Amino acid sequence: MLRILVTDDSKLARKRIVQTIESFNISHEIIGQASDGEEALLLFNTLKPNLVITDIEMPKMNGVELTGKIREIEKDINIIVVSSIANAQIQQSLKADTSLFFIKKPISIKLLEMILLRVERELMDAT
Amino acid sequence: MRNKKFISISKKLIFALGFSAVVALFLSTIAIFIYTFNAEKENEIQSLSQITKIMGQNLIATIEFDDSENANNTLDNLKLDKTVEDAFIFKEDKSVFASYRYNDVSKKLALRMYKKNDIHKYSEYIDLKHIIISNPIVFGDRYIATLSIISSTNKIKKTITEQFFVLTMVFFISIIIVLILALKIQKIFTAPIFRMKDAMLNVSNNNYNVHINDTRNDEFSILFDGFNSMIDTIQERTAELKNEKANIEHILSNILLPVFITSIKKRTIVYSNKFAQKLYEKSESDILGSAIDDIYTLSNGPDDIIELINKHGKVFVYEDEIITNTGKKFTGLISVSPINYNNEDCYIGMSVDITKQKVLENEIREIHKHTRESIEYASLIQSALVPDNDDMRKYFKDQFVIWHPKDLVGGDIYLFEELRNNNECLLMVIDCTGHGVPGAFVTMLVKAIERQIVAKIKYSDEIVSPAKILSIFNSSMRHLLKQENKKSISNSGFDGQVVYYNKKDKILKCASARNEIFYYQDDELKTIKGDRHSVGYKDSDVNYQFTEHIIDVSKETTFYVSSDGYWDQNGGEKGLPYGKKRLKKMLAEIHKESMADQQEEFLYTFEAYKGNHIANDDVTVVGFKI
């Protein structure tokens, strides 16, 4: 089962992500939501998700920094990064991370579903 | 091939009718004959029985008085009946009291009868020659004697014989009549059958121009109608097939690709066109009747193509290396479809040599790959121009940025620079000519000019003027792109907004070329219209003075600075642009939300409106709250 942490400074965006995920036929639990990178890191340490969805542009700690911090704790956890800025440099810098997926906002429902299914499969294979 | 001897149905019918009649007549004759015999026999027995009874009655007194002579005389009266051979009066002890002719044979016959039957009772005996009737003579209820009369069967025989001759005559005459009738009757049934037979023989000799015209009112009429209908259908279908064949021949003769038609059953080629002959370097006579493998083979083998045919019944554009039996090799595209050719189930296969196209395709793929890599790298470079939004957070209470080039790179760019003393900043939203690579080039130029402008401001005390900044862009771009000369081939520039903000002094100034700046203050939407003058183009007036707007930002104000990509996007039911009216309506609904939520709403609304339409242009929207 996917245990998902959703991070976005927009409450509306988090709500939409959660609603979209709930419409998928994928076993999951939204274990927490955070509105910035710092809060997300705290929740990550306490709730131990196996998938993090995070915006890039956030106050206090942006998504790139958050990703870096998470990787220090857990190397292989799957992270989906979403951004309203098509910044190729950021994408390029995150490209090397094979457990990281980049989605441009607004989020494509099909793409999100594909990624979630892939992550679910990986987790099942791992167990 | 029929092994049995052919016998006409007419003869069979005549035979059947005749045979039935013969059997019927024969049985009838036998029945009549037997009936007549039995009737005659009964008559004779009845007659004799009567005589015996009556005579017995008459002889009672004679016997009682033991007058045998009188009894003999009485018996003599039997000569009136010529069939009576003899008669006896037997006493109970079986002695003869009186007789008619006293024949020993007759006597023995009569006595033999009493061995089986009781002399006191009435009895009858019949054989081929004699009829014997014995009747007891009773006086009161006392038995006194038995009278036996022996008669010959000559009369019966005579009657039977006469009957036999008559019946035989009748039998044969009837047979003749029946045969004659049979001959007539069978024609009623066989004539339509022969008509049908003749028509079918015509059809079997491929003569379909035959109809059976008959005005019968029985089942044969249904048969004829069905036959005629079948012939009409065959004629129609034959005509259709002829047309089909002609069409196929016409199409085949006009196909400019190598074509083989292979019989599914025989697995040999039944047709090849001249292009196939040329490609495979074989003459038509060499090709026809050969298997495909005799002409060419596939480098991947036939299994894949066979599997496709088995699965889908056809093959559409299958690529493989083809090796002809003459040693030629080329990359081919093969298509195979089922076809009916000359009333036979076949496959039509077309192949085309795409070797040159493959080479070109690979070259194009390489070029595309290089181009793509170049553009991806260009995207990296352009992304380097994009400011760090954390810098913006130092100046604005809240903000969002949407930057979506239409392609990997685009003509939209937003720039943010801190100026002096951590108090001043400059925000620009620039929409350069076009999008994609050309637009991206212009953004680089804009960035270069912007760097110069910012550097000059940083190292001076000059009052920052967005309008002046646009003017500097205007003249610099025209100069750098050599667009001061109207004969210049290039004509690039931009539309856009420049915003200066001093957070210490709470001063915000802005200027715009073409695009509006929207802002909300005191829950009221205000619009700063852009000057109707673009920046940097050949037609742009190098001396144009852009309008500078000063906005009081002592109160909370939310700004929206956007290129026209957002409101120019086509979508909705009618495929029309989103428009500023809808934008303003959306702003009215969301302006009080957090900037993060407003960004989400901007993105979601844009995508929902765009739907399946392609993106028109680059989209850049910067929202910030002071």
Side-chain angles (χ1 to χ4, degrees):
Chain A
M1 185 170 75
L2 297 176
R3 290 164 46 77
I4 306 171
L5 172 63
V6 178
T7 306
D8 197 305
D9 55 340
S10 164
K11 190 176 166 186
L12 189 54
R14 292 198 306 271
K15 184 180 166 189
R16 283 212 172 106
I17 291 170
V18 167
Q19 279 175 347
T20 304
I21 293 172
E22 280 170 359
S23 72
F24 298 152
N25 188 20
I26 298 173
S27 171
H28 72 277
E29 186 191 348
I30 308 293
I31 58 166
Q33 298 186 37
S35 56
D36 59 65
E38 274 183 13
E39 189 187 352
L41 193 61
L42 199 63
L43 289 174
F44 180 82
N45 283 322
T46 51
L47 299 175
K48 308 287 183 202
N50 52 26
L51 172 66
V52 174
I53 300 174
T54 178
D55 187 12
I56 284 187
E57 298 298 321
M58 292 185 294
K60 296 184 187 173
M61 185 193 291
N62 66 35
V64 177
E65 290 165 358
L66 173 64
T67 303
K69 295 271 187 223
I70 288 172
R71 279 283 174 263
E72 284 170 16
I73 301 165
E74 213 171 306
K75 252 192 337 190
D76 297 322
I77 186 171
N78 287 293
I79 302 173
I80 300 174
V81 171
V82 294
S83 178
S84 61
I85 299 172
N87 193 316
Q89 292 220 336
I90 294 174
Q91 287 180 56
Q92 188 71 14
S93 70
L94 299 172
K95 214 173 181 179
D97 189 335
T98 53
S99 297
L100 193 138
F101 306 92
F102 189 93
I103 305 180
K104 211 171 76 172
K105 274 187 177 179
I107 296 172
S108 158
I109 295 173
K110 273 189 187 159
L111 184 56
L112 181 62
E113 188 179 16
M114 262 171 57
I115 295 170
L116 258 55
L117 283 168
R118 182 177 150 176
V119 171
E120 185 188 46
R121 208 165 38 245
E122 279 176 10
L123 288 170
M124 279 169 63
D125 291 343
T127 53
Chain B
M1 280 284 283
R2 293 190 177 84
N3 291 324
K4 290 185 182 174
K5 187 183 167 189
F6 181 80
I7 301 171
S8 168
I9 196 163
S10 169
K11 287 180 186 167
K12 286 181 183 174
L13 200 55
I14 292 169
F15 175 78
L17 285 170
F19 182 74
S20 305
V22 164
V23 168
L25 281 168
F26 180 75
L27 290 173
S28 306
T29 305
I30 297 294
I32 294 168
F33 186 78
I34 292 169
Y35 175 77
T36 308
F37 173 79
N38 284 336
E40 275 302 312
K41 188 186 78 177
E42 278 305 311
N43 279 343
E44 197 60 24
I45 290 170
Q46 282 291 327
S47 171
L48 278 175
S49 181
Q50 281 294 105
I51 295 170
T52 314
K53 278 182 185 158
I54 295 167
M55 203 167 260
Q57 291 291 323
N58 294 339
L59 286 168
I60 290 172
T62 308
I63 296 167
E64 273 296 296
F65 289 114
D66 206 24
D67 187 351
S68 62
E69 193 177 336
N70 199 21
N72 286 331
N73 291 335
T74 306
L75 287 178
D76 265 348
N77 289 324
L78 287 170
K79 66 186 171 198
L80 291 171
D81 188 341
K82 290 193 171 67
T83 63
V84 174
E85 287 184 341
D86 213 337
F88 296 92
I89 298 172
F90 289 103
K91 289 289 216 170
E92 194 167 6
D93 61 356
K94 295 180 186 163
S95 60
V96 176
F97 175 74
S99 68
Y100 169 43
R101 290 203 175 117
Y102 200 95
N103 184 301
D104 261 334
V105 172
S106 304
K107 179 185 160 191
K108 280 177 185 169
L109 270 172
L111 284 172
R112 202 164 55 203
M113 196 171 74
Y114 295 126
K115 282 188 181 171
K116 289 183 186 176
N117 303 312
D118 186 353
I119 198 169
H120 301 101
K121 288 186 180 167
Y122 172 85
S123 53
E124 296 169 3
Y125 170 81
I126 303 132
D127 66 22
L128 283 174
K129 289 184 182 172
H130 304 98
I131 300 172
I132 305 175
I133 304 294
S134 288
N135 202 30
I137 302 170
V138 173
F139 181 54
D141 54 0
R142 183 168 56 88
Y143 169 81
I144 53 174
T146 299
L147 172 61
S148 294
I149 299 180
I150 296 113
S151 174
S152 78
T153 55
N154 287 342
K155 188 179 170 191
I156 295 172
K157 283 178 189 171
K158 188 183 169 193
T159 309
I160 293 301
T161 306
E162 285 168 5
Q163 281 282 333
F164 176 76
F165 279 119
V166 168
L167 285 173
T168 305
M169 285 288 292
V170 168
F171 175 78
F172 281 110
I173 292 168
S174 301
I175 293 295
I176 292 164
I177 293 169
V178 161
L179 284 171
I180 294 167
L181 283 174
L183 269 167
K184 298 282 182 198
I185 291 169
Q186 61 83 24
K187 276 188 185 168
I188 297 171
F189 297 97
T190 58
I193 294 173
F194 286 139
R195 288 191 72 186
M196 184 69 113
K197 176 208 85 179
D198 290 339
M200 283 298 200
L201 276 172
N202 272 310
V203 170
S204 67
N205 289 329
N206 294 322
N207 174 18
Y208 299 107
N209 199 16
V210 55
H211 273 74
I212 302 175
N213 297 315
D214 201 296
T215 53
R216 301 180 74 87
N217 59 351
D218 55 19
E219 285 79 355
F220 280 111
S221 67
I222 298 172
L223 211 58
F224 294 157
D225 288 344
F227 175 82
N228 291 337
S229 175
M230 179 190 77
I231 288 298
D232 289 340
T233 305
I234 289 174
Q235 283 178 326
E236 269 174 36
R237 186 70 191 122
T238 307
E240 273 175 23
L241 284 169
K242 270 187 186 157
N243 275 344
E244 236 175 72
K245 186 181 170 183
N247 283 340
I248 289 174
E249 296 286 351
H250 178 70
I251 289 167
L252 287 174
S253 66
N254 284 302
I255 293 176
L256 302 178
L257 295 173
V259 171
F260 285 136
I261 297 179
T262 312
S263 162
I264 293 176
K265 194 175 169 185
K266 293 180 233 163
R267 302 171 95 84
T268 54
I269 299 170
V270 296
Y271 173 87
S272 72
N273 67 358
K274 57 184 179 189
F275 299 102
Q277 290 152 29
K278 190 179 171 190
L279 179 64
Y280 297 103
E281 298 168 329
K282 281 188 181 289
S283 67
E284 189 180 28
S285 57
D286 287 337
I287 291 173
L288 295 181
S290 306
I292 285 285
D293 287 348
D294 296 334
I295 308 299
Y296 69 85
T297 51
L298 301 173
S299 69
N300 287 332
D303 293 343
D304 289 347
I305 203 165
I306 289 170
E307 195 190 320
L308 284 168
I309 291 171
N310 287 339
K311 197 172 170 184
H312 304 290
K314 59 184 174 184
V315 173
F316 183 65
V317 187
Y318 175 81
E319 187 181 314
D320 201 344
E321 194 184 45
I322 295 174
I323 306 147
T324 73
N325 285 18
T326 56
K328 201 160 93 168
K329 274 187 195 179
F330 61 91
T331 307
L333 273 182
I334 300 168
S335 291
V336 178
S337 289
I339 189 174
N340 188 286
Y341 180 76
N342 281 347
N343 284 331
E344 206 179 346
D345 287 332
C346 299
Y347 282 120
I348 181 168
M350 283 182 242
S351 57
V352 61
D353 182 351
I354 58 163
T355 309
K356 286 181 189 164
Q357 287 90 326
K358 286 299 286 182
V359 167
L360 275 172
E361 186 187 310
N362 288 335
E363 283 175 12
I364 291 168
R365 196 174 281 129
E366 274 306 303
I367 293 167
H368 178 76
K369 187 182 162 199
H370 285 136
T371 308
R372 177 121 192 134
E373 283 169 355
S374 299
I375 294 174
E376 282 173 352
Y377 198 75
S379 173
L380 281 177
I381 295 170
Q382 192 178 47
S383 296
L385 305 181
V386 171
D388 188 342
N389 290 353
D390 288 339
D391 291 339
M392 290 168 71
R393 285 203 181 86
K394 296 174 192 168
Y395 294 85
F396 305 131
K397 207 166 154 183
D398 199 359
Q399 76 211 40
F400 73 81
V401 177
I402 297 170
W403 182 60
H404 283 180
K406 180 176 181 288
D407 305 308
L408 281 174
V409 293
D412 272 16
I413 194 76
Y414 72 102
L415 304 168
F416 182 83
E417 296 290 343
E418 293 183 86
L419 296 175
R420 300 170 294 206
N421 305 317
N422 297 321
N423 286 326
E424 299 171 300
C425 65
L426 209 56
L427 168 71
M428 298 183 210
V429 173
I430 307 292
D431 179 0
C432 298
T433 311
H435 41 75
V437 170
F441 267 117
V442 182
T443 64
M444 302 303 292
L445 186 61
V446 166
K447 180 65 184 175
I449 299 169
E450 183 247 22
R451 294 302 307 147
Q452 284 186 345
I453 293 169
V454 166
K456 199 171 167 213
I457 292 170
K458 276 182 174 175
Y459 295 107
S460 73
D461 293 325
E462 71 174 84
I463 295 170
V464 178
S465 165
K468 192 178 169 193
I469 289 171
L470 282 178
S471 297
I472 295 170
F473 269 116
N474 193 25
S475 59
S476 301
M477 285 189 71
R478 291 181 84 248
H479 178 70
L480 288 169
L481 291 172
K482 295 183 171 58
Q483 288 172 179
E484 289 151 327
N485 187 343
K486 285 212 189 281
K487 289 181 185 172
S488 161
I489 294 167
S490 80
N491 189 20
S492 296
F494 68 78
D495 296 332
Q497 304 95 322
V498 177
V499 177
Y500 165 81
Y501 175 57
N502 185 321
K503 71 175 180 182
K504 183 184 166 205
D505 298 337
K506 287 283 183 200
I507 293 169
L508 188 138
K509 293 191 280 190
C510 58
S512 173
R514 301 284 182 192
N515 294 335
E516 288 91 337
I517 296 173
F518 303 101
Y519 67 99
Y520 258 93
Q521 203 177 64
D522 292 330
D523 211 20
E524 191 186 335
L525 174 68
K526 291 173 187 169
T527 306
I528 294 171
K529 283 195 178 300
D531 286 27
R532 294 170 71 134
H533 194 280
S534 298
V535 175
Y537 291 94
K538 275 196 295 196
D539 294 341
S540 302
D541 178 1
V542 69
N543 297 313
Y544 184 81
Q545 299 290 319
F546 287 90
T547 311
E548 185 138 305
H549 307 270
I550 300 172
I551 298 162
D552 174 15
V553 290
S554 55
K555 295 176 257 191
E556 185 174 272
T557 313
T558 307
F559 286 87
Y560 305 92
V561 186
S562 171
S563 65
D564 59 5
Y566 195 93
W567 56 72
D568 277 353
Q569 176 58 48
N570 288 4
E573 278 178 17
K574 295 180 182 176
L576 295 171
Y578 183 72
K580 291 171 201 168
K581 200 172 165 186
R582 282 196 183 92
L583 175 65
K584 288 177 187 174
K585 192 175 170 225
M586 182 177 69
L587 290 176
E589 289 166 8
I590 67 170
H591 70 273
K592 289 184 182 170
E593 305 298 325
S594 70
M595 296 310 275
D597 283 350
Q598 288 191 52
Q599 180 197 60
E600 179 68 18
E601 211 43 58
F602 260 88
L603 288 165
Y604 185 81
T605 303
F606 181 85
E607 200 60 28
Y609 186 78
K610 181 167 92 59
N612 292 327
H613 289 82
I614 56 165
N616 283 15
D617 197 0
D618 308 320
V619 174
T620 305
V621 183
V622 178
F624 61 91
K625 195 175 282 188
I626 291 173

